[in-house]
Amino acid sequence: FFLGNSRILITMRIDPLYLLLLPFAAAFSPAPFGYSPPSAPSSTSLDAKIAVFGASGLTASECVYQALKNGDSVVGLTRNPSNLVVPKGSGGSSAGSPLSDPNLTMIGGSVTSAGDVKKVFEGGDVDGCVIALGGKTSDVGKTMLQDGTKVVLDAMREAGVKRVAVVTSIGAGDSKDQAPFFFKILMSTVMSSIFKDKNAQEAVVEASGLEWCIVRPGGLTVEPPTGVINVIEGEAGSITRADVAQFCLDAITVPDFPYIGKRPCISSVGGTSWVKDRSAAAREGME
């Protein structure tokens, strides 16, 4: 089970009555409205420089890969740079192979270390940042999201970098009612500590004074990009990590991006399904 960029193993029994009612609940979900990506590559210039935090994670690696394909330069921070591989969604036949590029600089370190994060900005000229943190709570701690995000935002202000996209999750903040019924139960029980951290992370972003976009994706998959990105006001469905990455890159490279200072919930399927990728590929490559 994947929430944002966090990995959770849950065993549960679902009431058969819920399964019978699910199609009817979906039928009453408000219709989504689409986000139209720019027709040109997502870049403010021919040599934009993008910083990606949590760079070897499943969604973050999509950001790295797509930015490089757009002709941008990327500097990434991750605990284990060797874990960065070409993502399955956008990578095609090269998926799973080590990701390297002349325009890519990888730094090994932790987002909770001010010294490590400062290295990302030492070269200067960073145009924007994507924060897509993940990992098992037992490995990274219960407050890594809020703590690490604060360290990054502090470093951004010091370096004069204004634009940032932060990946959280459907159900965070005021989007609780946009999560499916069974997911709400998990949010208030076994996943309560994760959402406490995510909510605190969002609060840190909102108070930053920067040009931020909090991205709340629905159920994440590692399938190829669909190009369909709906901003959902009702119950959200699934979306590929590749599509989430495109939205994040647009958020930091498109000057008049319409969701700056907002918390859009995005999905390729609105109000009809909640698909979590349980394939082996989705369980590999975590930061």
Side-chain angles (χ1 to χ4, degrees), residues 3-244:
L3 164 69
N5 295 301
S6 301
R7 176 168 50 182
I8 305 162
L9 175 63
I10 296 173
T11 301
M12 62 183 295
R13 185 184 301 276
I14 299 177
D15 192 327
L17 179 61
Y18 170 72
L19 297 177
L20 291 174
L21 294 176
L22 182 58
F24 297 96
F28 289 96
S29 299
F33 57 94
Y35 162 73
S36 298
S39 55
S42 304
S43 176
T44 52
S45 67
L46 296 178
D47 57 351
K49 187 174 183 180
I50 297 170
V52 180
F53 294 89
S56 63
L58 292 173
T59 301
S61 63
E62 280 282 359
C63 292
V64 172
Y65 183 78
Q66 292 184 33
L68 293 171
K69 290 298 181 182
N70 289 341
D72 297 326
S73 297
V74 177
V75 56
L77 179 72
T78 177
R79 295 190 304 273
N80 302 297
S82 61
N83 286 351
L84 178 64
V85 297
V86 175
K88 178 182 178 182
S90 298
S93 60
S94 298
S97 60
L99 177 51
S100 61
D101 189 279
N103 291 323
L104 173 63
T105 300
M106 290 296 294
I107 299 172
S110 170
V111 289
T112 59
S113 166
D116 290 344
V117 171
K118 188 175 181 179
K119 295 175 184 177
V120 173
F121 300 95
E122 286 179 349
D125 302 324
V126 172
D127 295 291
C129 301
V130 175
I131 301 175
L133 306 177
K136 294 186 293 185
T137 301
S138 58
D139 294 336
V140 301
K142 293 183 177 181
T143 62
M144 182 274 291
L145 298 177
Q146 57 187 293
D147 295 342
T149 298
K150 184 179 186 305
V151 172
V152 173
L153 299 179
D154 287 346
M156 287 181 62
R157 285 192 293 268
E158 183 177 344
V161 181
K162 296 182 179 181
R163 192 68 70 93
V164 60
V166 182
V167 181
T168 62
S169 172
I170 188 74
D174 59 2
S175 68
K176 179 179 179 181
D177 290 339
Q178 294 184 256
F181 173 74
F182 79 91
F183 197 65
K184 294 176 186 175
I185 296 175
L186 298 178
M187 287 166 51
S188 62
T189 54
V190 296
M191 296 165 63
S192 60
S193 63
I194 296 173
F195 272 91
K196 183 178 180 180
D197 195 18
K198 286 184 179 292
N199 292 338
Q201 178 189 29
E202 290 196 355
V204 167
V205 175
E206 293 166 7
S208 67
L210 300 173
E211 298 176 3
W212 52 266
C213 178
I214 292 172
V215 183
R216 296 167 171 169
L220 292 165
T221 77
V222 293
E223 298 306 310
T226 67
V228 178
I229 303 173
N230 294 323
V231 176
I232 304 294
E233 293 185 346
E235 183 177 303
S238 61
I239 187 168
T240 70
R241 293 178 185 271
D243 288 328
V244 175

Side-chain angles (χ1 to χ4, degrees), residues 258-287:
Y259 299 103
I260 295 301
K262 298 181 180 180
R263 312 160 194 81
C265 296
I266 59 173
S267 169
S268 295
V269 182
T272 58
S273 66
W274 182 261
V275 180
K276 289 288 184 177
D277 194 317
R278 297 174 175 84
S279 68
R283 295 191 294 271
E284 297 173 353
M286 296 298 291
E287 183 189 8

